[in-house]
Amino acid sequence: MNYQLMERDAFQVVGVKESLICDGETSPSQEIGRFWAQVGQDGIIDRLLGLNNGQISGLMGVTVDYSEENNKLEYWVATESKENPPDGLFSYEVPAAKWAIFEVVGPVVDVLPKTWQKIYSEWFPSNDYEHNGTPSLEVYKSLDPTSPTAKSEIWVPVK
């Protein structure tokens, strides 16, 4: 798996959030896809891109909180921004962390779930790193997430 390590200070993301139920009937990927479709229809993506002025360019999916016990996931569609969030948007400060950043190429709906699975089934067991418990990021670098050449990154905070 192609990855790099990077340390970053805390930074702010601005976006929209939703609590998603992951009850076994609907996969987290399906719920996240539905949320992205809703955000796209609501015109929020263009608003977020207009606020993007941080080190990470473009949009990201942020998994802020996952509770296995409650089968709930707090998921954000966001962008890195130094601006105060305008009406209808929220801000969240991503804590300082060491990040393992995995490069991903291909249609997002296919390659991201497979890469997450490999991170947990192959990468973590084969090294000394552990997830540090803070939010993970999916960074979308291409305008067309369905393209076979779409570029994305998965940022995993590690200790």
Side-chain angles (χ1 to χ4, degrees):
M1 296 186 76
N2 192 13
Y3 73 96
Q4 64 177 338
L5 294 174
M6 178 191 351
E7 292 198 31
R8 272 208 66 191
D9 291 335
F11 60 94
Q12 175 182 268
V13 296
V14 171
V16 291
K17 61 184 175 178
E18 186 168 305
S19 286
L20 305 175
I21 303 295
C22 308
D23 59 10
E25 291 179 27
T26 308
S27 76
S29 295
Q30 289 172 308
E31 283 296 299
I32 290 168
R34 179 199 53 74
F35 185 45
W36 272 96
Q38 175 189 331
V39 169
Q41 290 172 354
D42 293 346
I44 293 171
I45 288 175
D46 289 335
R47 288 180 68 198
L48 292 175
L49 289 172
L51 293 168
N52 184 221
N53 61 11
Q55 181 179 332
I56 299 173
S57 84
L59 296 173
M60 63 182 90
V62 183
T63 303
V64 171
D65 189 29
Y66 174 65
S67 168
E68 242 180 278
E69 184 178 310
N70 297 329
N71 294 322
K72 277 185 149 180
L73 170 72
E74 182 180 305
Y75 184 83
W76 289 60
V77 173
T79 193
E80 185 176 354
S81 180
K82 297 175 178 123
E83 309 296 323
N84 288 326
D87 287 345
L89 300 178
F90 304 92
S91 67
Y92 178 83
E93 183 158 315
V94 177
K98 176 186 276 188
W99 298 92
I101 303 170
F102 299 84
E103 295 178 51
V104 185
V105 177
V108 168
V109 298
D110 295 330
V111 296
L112 285 180
K114 289 176 186 170
T115 304
W116 276 113
Q117 183 179 13
K118 281 184 171 184
I119 290 168
Y120 279 94
S121 67
E122 297 174 19
W123 188 79
F124 273 123
S126 68
N127 66 63
D128 293 332
Y129 291 108
E130 296 175 29
H131 195 289
N132 78 3
T134 61
S136 297
L137 313 174
E138 294 177 346
V139 178
Y140 308 103
K141 300 200 159 273
S142 299
L143 293 177
D144 180 5
T146 64
S147 168
T149 60
K151 293 185 179 177
S152 305
E153 294 174 341
I154 293 177
W155 290 43
V156 180
V158 293
K159 58 180 176 178

